[in-house]
Amino acid sequence: MDQQDRLAARVHPAGAVVPSPTATLWTVQVLRGVAALMVVIGHSQSAVAAVVVANGGVFARSTLVPWGAGVDLFFVISGFIMVHASARLFGRAGARAEFLRRRLVRIVPLYWAVTTMFLALLALATMKGGDRFPSAGAVLASYLFIPVDTYGDGRLFPVLDLGWTLNYEMFFYAILALVIGWRRKAALTAIGLLLAACVGLGLGMSGASPAWFWTRPIILDFGLGVAVGALVAQGTILPIPIRALLAVLGVGVLLADPTHLFNGATGMTVANAWPRVVWAGLPIAAVLAAAVLGGEPRLPRVGLPFTRIGDASYSLYLFHPVALIAMEKLAQKLPAVRGTPGWLLVLVTVAAALAIALAAYRWIERPMTMGFARLLATRPSPPQSVAAAR
């Protein structure tokens, strides 16, 4: 086995139970890396645009890629990975506790750490007369993944606004946990029905509330990933021409963004409504199906950096605001930074975000996740005596 094969053999969803030694899923890791980069590039453009405009300049934001669809890509992949990674849990006693333990270990420690760091910075800014510090209830809700109007502006964002996606993730995990102990076919069918039922209930809701938030159509992105995972689980293999057609159509529709859904004003948040599922979720599911419904090709060297970014995608998502804030602060103090051409400033900011994320993944996320996994690992019960067993 050469170096490239060894690298490919290590690529798998973080924290996942790989059903087979051959299921390397490097294509999924590449897609995770692409999703993270889409989010970071989109946010970096918004931050740079604010700096350039504040200094009297003009910044032409790129619409070549629907950058905001990176979130939909994350959600579809998440639905797929949960099916793939839980292959050995479906229908097993104790599956619910094991699944929740894995998900909490994977998601909670790093998010809580970054949220705590952000709250400390916010407290310093508040003491200096800056932004208002959120209420105790809003802080608690943020730690518990409950969507609330943290800053009184009518929007359901947690203290760390990036956490809105994790509020959806944890809701999806809760639905999956309800049925993980069932046989796989029944469980996956139930997940689809439950997600559809939630969206149906949401049709009669208005106003910002946790129930309204969790019943937005965007949750169907998870269901699309689950559907692809179900096809893989039952051994569906598509001919290469069909996979190629799915990939071309999916990428084509996504890039075309025919309704200009992701081409709104700078800093605008795309509504988590049906158009997002149709013009982002469905095309992304087609691309994912093309990637996984058949044998994976040999991992090309050009894909290796994206698998590394895929590994560190959670750190990149949570820590990339550090690079944005640093860029904004430097622009306030240094004329040379303010005078830097906008797109060069975007490239430097994205590169800084990647460097921070890769370091955070190696020195913070991975050790933290492994430490909590060992701490919370389930241990076999000690053998009981015959008398005790009676």
Side-chain angles (χ1 to χ4, degrees):
M1 180 183 287
D2 62 19
Q3 182 184 15
Q4 190 175 8
D5 289 331
R6 287 194 298 272
L7 287 169
R10 294 205 301 268
V11 178
H12 56 81
V17 176
V18 182
S20 156
T22 60
T24 56
L25 297 178
W26 66 260
T27 49
V28 176
Q29 287 299 83
V30 168
L31 288 174
R32 283 171 53 148
V34 169
L37 280 176
M38 287 172 68
V39 171
V40 173
I41 293 172
H43 288 174
S44 296
Q45 289 186 77
S46 296
V48 167
V51 169
V52 172
V53 171
N55 287 278
V58 176
F59 178 77
R61 183 166 57 96
S62 168
T63 58
L64 178 64
V65 173
W67 308 105
V71 169
D72 300 87
L73 181 51
F74 270 131
F75 284 0
V76 174
I77 290 174
S78 180
F80 169 78
I81 288 180
M82 288 306 99
V83 175
H84 184 76
S86 302
R88 296 176 182 174
L89 292 180
F90 289 111
R92 201 183 82 185
R96 182 178 295 112
E98 177 66 11
F99 172 77
L100 289 174
R101 181 188 66 82
R102 291 181 186 177
R103 289 297 90 205
L104 293 177
V105 164
R106 181 72 181 88
I107 299 298
V108 172
L110 188 65
Y111 178 65
W112 280 7
V114 176
T115 295
T116 302
M117 178 184 72
F118 182 78
L119 280 169
L121 295 175
L122 189 57
L124 290 175
T126 301
M127 287 188 290
K128 294 180 179 179
D131 296 334
R132 179 173 59 87
F133 196 79
S135 67
V139 171
L140 180 61
S142 294
Y143 280 111
L144 296 179
F145 300 95
I146 299 173
V148 296
D149 183 0
T150 299
Y151 295 105
D153 56 4
R155 301 187 302 164
L156 300 182
F157 283 104
V159 168
L160 180 67
D161 58 1
L162 292 171
W164 72 268
T165 62
L166 298 180
N167 289 347
Y168 278 118
E169 286 276 357
M170 298 301 282
F171 180 71
F172 170 60
Y173 296 159
I175 289 177
L176 181 51
L178 289 175
V179 299
I180 192 75
W182 301 0
R183 292 185 180 276
R184 183 176 61 208
K185 184 175 181 180
L188 299 185
T189 301
I191 292 170
L193 292 175
L194 287 170
L195 290 173
C198 287
V199 174
L201 290 172
L203 295 176
M205 294 184 185
S206 61
S209 68
W212 176 87
F213 179 90
W214 282 322
T215 55
R216 296 306 86 208
I218 195 174
I219 64 174
L220 296 179
D221 282 351
F222 295 109
L224 293 171
V226 168
V228 175
L231 291 173
V232 171
Q234 68 184 26
T236 302
I237 302 293
L238 295 180
I240 291 179
I242 299 298
R243 294 170 68 188
L245 179 62
L246 283 174
V248 170
L249 287 176
V251 172
V253 171
L254 196 63
L255 294 182
D257 190 16
T259 62
H260 304 290
L261 181 66
F262 295 94
N263 189 23
T266 300
M268 185 193 77
T269 300
V270 179
N272 298 326
W274 280 106
R276 188 163 196 162
V277 179
V278 173
W279 299 115
L282 285 172
I284 287 168
V287 172
L288 178 63
V292 300
L293 293 180
E296 284 193 316
R298 181 183 175 86
L299 173 63
R301 293 190 180 278
V302 70
L304 291 178
F306 288 95
T307 65
R308 293 292 177 264
I309 298 172
D311 288 338
S313 58
Y314 190 37
S315 285
L316 181 56
Y317 183 72
L318 290 180
F319 280 99
H320 78 269
V322 174
L324 305 187
I325 293 171
M327 180 274 296
E328 292 168 345
K329 296 299 182 184
L330 288 173
Q332 291 173 5
K333 299 179 181 299
L334 301 176
V337 176
R338 292 196 296 272
T340 302
W343 269 102
L344 178 57
L345 200 53
V346 169
L347 291 175
V348 172
T349 303
V350 171
L354 284 170
I356 292 168
L358 291 171
Y361 172 71
R362 180 174 181 180
W363 301 111
I364 301 175
E365 179 187 350
R366 192 164 61 175
M368 180 182 291
T369 302
M370 293 174 64
F372 276 97
R374 285 192 295 267
L375 180 66
L376 300 178
T378 55
R379 295 176 175 81
S381 301
Q384 293 179 310
S385 66
V386 175
R390 290 175 183 169

